[in-house]
Amino acid sequence: MSTHVMNTYGRLPFALSHGRGCRVWDTEGKAYLDGLAGIAVNTLGHAHPKLVPALQEQVATLMHVSNYYQAPLQEQLAERLCALSGLDKVFFCNSGLEANEAALKLARKFGHGKGIARPEVIVYDKAFHGRSIATLSATGNPKVQAGFEPLVEGFVRLPINDLEAVRAAVASNPNIVAIFLETIQGEGGINPTRIEVLQGLRRICDEHDLLLMLDEVQCGIGRTGKWFAHQWAGIQPDVMPLAKGLGSGLPIGAVVTGPRASEIFQPGNHGTTFGGNPLAMRAGIETLRIMEEDGLLAHAAAMGERIRAGLAAGLDGLTGVREIRGHGLMIGVELDRPCGVLLTRAADAGLLISVTADSVVRLLPPLVISAAEVDELLSILLPLMRDFLAAPAA
Ligand SMILES: *Cc1c(COP(=O)(O)O)cnc(C)c1O
């Protein structure tokens, strides 16, 4: 294959050429069922019949100007995101790490506004926030950080789902200005923050005037069956980075803020050339509109239930299955051994999935997956997992 693309990914030995719904085809004509959605990106699957004409029209109308001018499509998408989240301002960028960088800048400036010269942010074990220098420093995975030291300072790392540890850290460290976490950890192995922990974090942030910053880059945009995963806990964050599924395949990122964080950035504090361009905005507007029109939140919840029930039944009684976790169409099955080989075996069998945190089979299908496609996914995946678990542990 190409020798001129940098060697940054362990790629499977085939190239995908086109897709339709939850099906994609490689250049040899082999079909695959998409259980990954480009890592939670292709919310509406591939070549969605309502999205394609809207984006074609937008490409032929206006793709990019600059943020020198008024931006009506930014206004439109921001208004929608605020209506869905109950928050009140949005900054647009192009990716998850950019949304998280903006969140971290907000936290620091919030601290400086309170007279804290060296603000610190609570972050978590197994967290993943991106691969820029600041976001890899916030990430809780030594493999992501190795070789890129010195890390950015100003982070305090804690175990997830431990409110006592947060209380102790906040009580002893007056420099803490924010708590930054994924509502459901994605790359770390599909690890949900418990509902009562989310509620407890909200209370701590209110009592101590801290920013609750929920990275919903992977778990947001309907994937769990609500627009945003924290809505299951009935709380609101102060800062919410979004990206992946928001554009259904177009690169886009957004930071949505509540009253405590909405006025922190003033002209000159932050910016981006591509962020908020009309093409990405149109993708976001149409994705949210189509999701609502087609009832995809309830559908994601129902299809997620169907997958989890099928996994539970199909893996019942097998030794080697530690836990089936997740919410809606964000599902992880943790095994008792590294299982990266299942990615290749699934692809050979015509199914795209991922394996994360070494031993967690991760499913993130498009939200448009049908019941028949769920059953097909299970009929491919379950025998592979059973065979894998029946073989002697490596
Ligand atoms: C993917 C991801 C990111 C990084 O997003 P990029 O668009 O790859 O920069 C950040 N946070 C979470 C939770 C993610 O899943």
Side-chain angles (χ1 to χ4, degrees):
M1 290 301 280
S2 167
T3 53
H4 294 291
V5 173
M6 265 193 212
N7 188 23
T8 52
Y9 305 99
R11 297 178 194 269
L12 292 169
F14 56 90
L16 298 167
S17 68
H18 61 289
R20 183 98 192 153
C22 291
R23 199 79 52 183
V24 281
W25 286 266
D26 70 16
T27 49
E28 310 287 300
K30 177 176 170 180
Y32 301 81
L33 181 62
D34 189 355
L36 184 61
I39 318 182
V41 168
N42 300 99
T43 305
L44 303 176
H46 303 273
H48 191 284
K50 292 181 185 170
L51 183 64
V52 169
L55 293 184
Q56 283 172 331
E57 180 204 66
Q58 191 62 48
V59 166
T61 305
L62 194 66
M63 278 204 280
H64 176 82
V65 282
S66 91
N67 284 305
Y68 285 173
Y69 314 106
Q70 297 296 309
L73 293 181
Q74 288 186 25
E75 294 293 343
Q76 211 179 314
L77 181 54
E79 185 188 332
R80 200 70 198 104
L81 287 170
C82 290
L84 298 177
S85 64
L87 301 176
D88 54 34
K89 297 270 185 193
V90 184
F91 173 82
F92 289 109
C93 51
N94 312 288
S95 68
L97 81 80
E98 283 177 63
N100 286 333
E101 283 278 345
L104 292 170
K105 283 181 70 174
L106 280 171
R108 284 195 169 182
K109 197 151 185 303
F110 174 73
H112 284 278
K114 296 205 288 181
I116 297 172
R118 302 186 65 80
E120 296 183 36
V121 175
I122 290 178
V123 292
Y124 284 88
D125 289 339
K126 296 187 189 171
F128 182 82
H129 297 298
R131 289 173 178 276
S132 67
I133 296 288
T135 59
L136 76 80
S137 300
T139 288
N141 179 349
K143 279 194 210 159
V144 172
Q145 297 170 334
F148 301 107
E149 300 85 353
L151 301 182
V152 170
E153 54 187 321
F155 295 110
V156 175
R157 193 168 306 282
L158 298 178
I160 67 165
N161 283 319
D162 185 345
L163 277 179
E164 278 319 305
V166 175
R167 284 201 192 90
V170 169
S172 66
N173 184 346
N175 288 333
I176 289 173
V177 294
I179 304 174
F180 183 35
L181 66 151
E182 297 154 85
T183 314
I184 302 174
Q185 289 186 338
E187 302 307 302
I190 314 294
N191 306 312
T193 310
R194 290 201 308 271
I195 298 261
E196 71 275 15
V197 171
L198 287 168
Q199 294 163 343
L201 292 174
R202 180 66 274 173
R203 273 195 301 278
I204 292 169
C205 286
D206 289 340
E207 285 162 19
H208 296 271
D209 190 30
L210 311 176
L211 297 181
L212 180 59
M213 310 205 300
L214 296 179
D215 178 348
E216 295 231 2
V217 167
Q218 189 163 150
C219 62
I221 314 295
R223 185 149 288 279
T224 65
K226 289 199 186 279
W227 287 106
F228 308 107
H230 65 263
Q231 291 174 330
W232 291 101
I235 61 155
Q236 286 182 351
D238 300 298
V239 178
M240 175 170 64
L242 297 172
K244 292 195 166 91
L246 177 56
S248 227
L250 256 282
I252 184 171
V255 194
V256 191
T257 56
R260 199 173 284 170
S262 289
E263 307 300 328
I264 296 172
F265 282 162
Q266 293 300 318
N269 290 147
H270 197 52
T272 148
T273 300
F274 288 122
N277 69 78
L279 182 58
M281 294 300 98
R282 188 73 188 271
I285 291 163
E286 299 296 337
T287 295
L288 298 178
R289 187 181 61 76
I290 295 164
M291 286 175 70
E292 188 157 53
E293 223 171 73
D294 293 357
L296 290 185
L297 297 194
H299 183 73
M303 293 302 106
E305 274 309 310
R306 192 178 182 97
I307 294 178
R308 264 190 306 280
L311 289 169
L315 299 173
D316 185 41
L318 289 184
T319 51
V321 180
R322 285 231 174 102
E323 196 179 15
I324 301 170
R325 293 193 288 264
H327 210 142
L329 288 173
M330 183 172 185
I331 297 171
V333 184
E334 184 178 353
L335 305 184
D336 66 352
R337 66 201 77 166
C339 59
V341 67
L342 280 172
L343 181 99
T344 316
R345 291 188 192 166
D348 288 345
L351 173 66
L352 305 181
I353 59 165
S354 92
V355 170
T356 191
D358 295 331
S359 59
V360 179
V361 173
R362 175 173 57 166
L363 300 175
L364 298 163
L367 304 196
V368 294
I369 192 168
S370 69
E373 286 163 338
V374 163
D375 296 347
E376 182 187 343
L377 182 156
L378 291 166
S379 77
I380 300 172
L381 182 61
L382 285 170
L384 290 176
M385 292 185 73
R386 283 193 215 106
D387 286 352
F388 175 76
L389 290 168

